[in-house]
Amino acid sequence: MIANWVSRASVHLEIMKKAFKVSVTYKINTLFEFLSIGFDFFIQICVWTALYNGRNLVNGVSLSDMISYVMVSSFVSSLSYSGIALKIANQVKDGTIGNELCRPINYKDMIMYHEIGANLFHSICIRLPVVLLFGFLIKVVIPASGLNFLLFFISVIFGITIVYGLNFIYGMLAFWLKTSEYVNFISRALMTLFAGRFVPIWFYPEFLKKIGQVLPFRFITFEPMQIYLGKVDSHQTLVILLSQVIWIAALTIIQQIMWKAVQKHLVIQGG
């Protein structure tokens, strides 16, 4: 059993390394992405500074907290980015999904670890240096303790797991929808609105907050950032982590049910 686990882990690592190396080769893209991230940070800092208009607090959140949220959450979002749903949907649409399923490696593992490798490159080699540069210039908020940072890190890992669970589910919907357009719209719209990637849920109207409370998206970016900024106490942090674990378990069960249904009723459009 251990030997099998080690063998699978080594395969996963090789997939990640390959994706990382592929990303490294696009040096011009890397340069433009680096500049684009810096420009985006500059614009967002200017916008939030203008919105605060000299006020110390808005909804109990300081401008320093807000700017820190912008920069650190962008790094979290980069780590948790997933285009798996669209990739699966496109493969179903053009019929290449059949060839992918015939490979001697678990299909879900292959596309997930390939994306993780690419995300690690973009997050660590491109986005992190920009975050650190702006953080040095602006003095962003850092976690109050090492334990707080550890809990934040664990929460980010759980959040990434939730993202992949959701995207596999979205992707498998394409087997019934036979199109990628709806899948892409659903995944992007829900993530943008309820994960708090661009606007923190602190500033949402009450009805959107209530909707977000029953959905898993806030556990991807917003809740880990609450832990990072110290906006929740130890009890609330444990509730967040436990809620993430519950969502991971629920999404895993849904994935397994849907995957069995897909294997039984696989109809490839265009294949």
Side-chain angles (χ1 to χ4, degrees), residues 32 35 59 77 84 94 119 169 200 229 244:
F32 278 107
L35 295 173
N59 286 7
S77 297
I84 285 177
D94 62 23
N119 285 354
I169 291 171
L229 294 171
Q244 288 179 306

Side-chain angles (χ1 to χ4, degrees), residues 173-191:
L173 288 175
F175 286 95
W176 289 276
L177 296 175
K178 302 297 188 298
T179 180
S180 61
E181 285 78 9
Y182 300 120
V183 172
N184 193 39
F185 173 77
I186 291 171
S187 61
R188 287 182 178 275
L190 293 176
M191 197 72 69

Side-chain angles (χ1 to χ4, degrees), residues 123-139:
S123 301
I124 296 174
C125 297
I126 303 177
R127 191 166 293 268
L128 183 58
V130 184
V131 171
L132 293 175
L133 175 61
F134 274 79
F136 175 76
L137 295 174
I138 301 174
K139 297 182 180 179

Side-chain angles (χ1 to χ4, degrees), residues 49-118:
T49 300
L51 289 173
Y52 268 72
N53 194 26
R55 288 172 289 181
N56 292 326
L57 295 174
V58 175
N59 286 7
V61 181
S62 69
L63 178 59
S64 177
D65 284 342
M66 190 59 242
I67 292 175
S68 299
Y69 185 100
V70 166
M71 289 190 286
V72 179
S73 69
S74 76
F75 178 72
V76 174
S77 297
S78 180
L79 282 173
S80 60
Y81 168 79
S82 180
I84 285 177
L86 183 60
K87 185 172 184 177
I88 295 175
N90 286 335
Q91 289 177 346
V92 171
K93 186 177 181 179
D94 62 23
T96 57
I97 186 69
N99 295 330
E100 298 297 329
L101 291 174
C102 290
R103 293 178 183 272
I105 183 174
N106 184 280
Y107 173 69
K108 293 195 293 182
D109 286 353
M110 179 177 64
I111 59 177
M112 181 177 73
Y113 285 101
H114 184 275
E115 192 161 82
I116 290 175

Side-chain angles (χ1 to χ4, degrees), residues 138-168:
I138 301 174
K139 297 182 180 179
V140 299
V141 176
I142 61 174
S145 67
L147 176 60
N148 200 39
F149 182 81
L150 175 61
L151 294 172
F152 161 72
F153 178 78
I154 294 172
S155 183
V156 169
I157 298 299
F158 287 167
I160 292 172
T161 307
I162 290 173
V163 168
Y164 286 120
L166 288 168
N167 270 268
F168 277 123

Side-chain angles (χ1 to χ4, degrees), residues 234-246:
S234 57
H235 173 72
Q236 291 170 318
T237 298
L238 291 177
V239 170
I240 290 171
L241 295 175
L242 179 59
S243 298
Q244 288 179 306
V245 170
I246 293 172

